[in-house]
Amino acid sequence: MSMAITPSGDKRPLALSVEGLTYAFNESMPLFANLSFTIREGEFVSLLAPSGIGKTTLFRLLAGLLTPQGGSIRLGAEKVEPSGAAHRRQSGRIGYMPQRDSLMPWRSVLDNAALGLELSGIPRREARRRVRELLPTFGLEGTEEKRPHELSGGMRQRVSFLRSVLGGGELLLLDEPFSALDAMTRISMQEWLLQIWEQHRKTILFITHDIDEALLLSDRVLVAEASPVSIMKELAVALPRPRTYQTVLDDSFVLLKRQALGLLGKEAARQEGASR
Amino acid sequence: MKQRLRSGVPVLVFVLLLALLWEAATAWLSIPHYIIPQLSDVLMSMWDNRQLLGKHFMITLGESLLGLSISVVFGTLAAVCIEGSSLARKTIYPLIIASQTIPIIALSPIMVMWFGYEIWSKVAVVILFTFFPIAVNTSDGFRTADSGIGEVMRSMGARRRDLFLKWKIPSALPGFFTGLKMAATISVGGATLGEWLGGEAGLGMYTKRASSMLRGDAVFSGVLLLSLMGILLFLAALWLEKAALSRRSS
């Protein structure tokens, strides 16, 4: 089921639209200046950028954890309000998966994954039932009663991912979820995520500074080059799906990677070359 | 369990050796009984006065536990206030930290002046000793809660109450128990000091009175029982901690 993604011809409704986003921790060093981009429903988009450019800050803005100083963020048709507001956002929530797994060490896998359901008022029994249903798909069968410290790094990230999927949101924000894993685990997690995503087609915005990872997983890669970010370059990844890790060996992949390196600029290209 | 019992064997043997050394050295070196009494004399005096010592033991234990319980309630409340209000964090917290540099013992006579010679002056001294470790450690527990969990919860639309009950409280438990263990150990010291300053009962009063009469055996039996009480309270706190945090990683 190969599907070429051409953003201009895509008629799917918008899952996320960011318009004129401006944000700065202090005024002399703005992180985002009048930044705009959109993601369509069911799209897998990666945000590729060198470290220190404010990727995590962008995610926190999208998640409503920070308030932008200018511009708007819309999830579907709904505007994102900071969650500190007295009234609770009933809908338009997102599934946020942080860089570290941030699981609760005092909760079992089952209750960690059920957190989002629990917070939206679903009874514990029902929440647990829904988690149980998904455990096999997420490769977590038999870990129901385990605590996070009894799991490997990869398994913990799976639980964290399941938690964000069940968080209730249509859009999933994944913040460098595999960056802390060793290379082998990372590859198997990437393949696993590909497989899950190709089945469920949730809308995903994925932050990474790993070019291979971005190209392998995404329909579209947004490249942020330098701070402050105001325009992001875009690279459509028209590789056929389903993909596996073998895809990185294809000629078409190498071609895309060369383009991505070009978009990141020579500086980044040299860094990338040195770190490989 | 068996493993743990076995790992306790060396220390028990060592304590037994020390006891034997005590007994033998005091006999051979003919140390005066008011400097170090023979262990057998201490144990005998303990046995002879078992009813009186039992009564005093319960009184001191009661003072310690009462003071400790009040500190748990108010120390935790203080930590919650510090966590919940930024004003309290800016005002109460620095004060609590700074107050730890004050020699608490120096304040104890004030407690006696205020609360008289009844049980409450001892309880007050115990509170003086035990409030700070509980408040500070619980507060630190709140403060060091994994902010990532909070962010995930907020992104899921968690309310303040959810954040507090499901994230902050469980995160603060290890800190609270650290404070409780420290407080349990020093609570006995607080009660003893309170009795020294003005008390008619309790092991502190008993040892002080025995000391002024140069009754080495009585002093040592009181001291041994006070030590035992400290150990027991610590073990109780440890047991509570184990029960509450049994399934977490260390």
Side-chain angles (χ1 to χ4, degrees), chain B:
Chain B
M1 194 65 199
K2 218 170 186 176
Q3 192 73 36
R4 260 172 55 200
L5 283 180
R6 204 173 298 147
S7 71
V9 167
V11 66
L12 284 179
V13 170
F14 186 59
V15 167
L16 209 65
L17 280 175
L18 283 178
L20 284 173
L21 188 70
W22 176 356
E23 180 68 17
T26 42
W28 290 338
L29 305 174
S30 45
I31 297 171
H33 65 88
Y34 52 85
I35 302 291
I36 304 178
Q38 268 192 284
L39 181 59
S40 51
D41 286 346
V42 173
L43 294 177
M44 241 136 70
S45 149
M46 226 189 253
W47 179 252
D48 291 341
N49 298 306
R50 60 187 177 279
Q51 272 187 325
L52 186 65
L53 282 170
K55 199 189 86 190
H56 289 309
F57 186 93
M58 293 319 286
I59 287 169
T60 307
L61 183 63
E63 293 160 357
S64 306
L65 282 177
L66 195 55
L68 198 55
S69 313
I70 295 172
S71 283
V72 165
V73 173
F74 287 98
T76 312
L77 275 179
V80 169
C81 286
I82 291 166
E83 183 54 34
S85 127
S86 63
L87 185 66
R89 192 173 317 136
K90 284 177 200 140
T91 53
I92 302 176
Y93 189 72
L95 218 60
I96 287 184
I97 296 293
S99 74
Q100 291 200 300
T101 60
I102 299 172
I104 296 171
I105 291 177
L107 296 178
S108 310
I110 301 177
M111 297 298 121
V112 178
M113 205 163 67
W114 288 349
F115 297 103
Y117 294 96
E118 300 293 303
I119 184 175
W120 292 108
S121 64
K122 289 81 177 171
V123 172
V125 177
V126 174
I127 294 171
L128 214 52
F129 273 66
T130 53
F131 173 82
F132 301 108
I134 291 175
V136 169
N137 283 291
T138 309
S139 177
D140 286 350
F142 280 132
R143 223 162 26 84
T144 54
D146 181 353
S147 58
I149 296 175
E151 294 205 332
V152 168
M153 287 183 73
R154 270 193 285 267
S155 77
M156 291 169 167
R159 285 161 295 190
R160 221 174 126 91
R161 193 170 142 263
D162 295 320
L163 290 170
F164 192 68
L165 293 178
K166 294 174 195 228
W167 169 44
K168 284 290 185 175
I169 296 234
S171 302
L173 277 184
F176 166 78
F177 280 110
T178 302
L180 184 66
K181 282 187 291 183
M182 287 168 67
T185 320
I186 57 179
S187 67
V188 179
T192 308
L193 179 67
E195 290 170 8
W196 285 353
L197 291 169
E200 281 127 24
L203 285 174
M205 185 281 307
Y206 182 88
T207 49
K208 192 187 171 209
R209 200 168 284 175
S211 148
S212 62
M213 293 189 293
L214 297 184
R215 288 279 311 278
D217 53 346
V219 174
F220 272 79
S221 51
V223 169
L224 283 182
L225 286 173
L226 284 169
S227 313
L228 182 71
M229 193 185 300
I231 293 170
L232 286 178
L233 284 178
F234 175 78
L235 288 177
L238 192 68
W239 180 81
L240 279 176
E241 182 188 37
K242 283 251 160 72
L245 309 178
S246 60
R247 298 217 46 198
R248 295 194 197 182
S249 60
S250 48

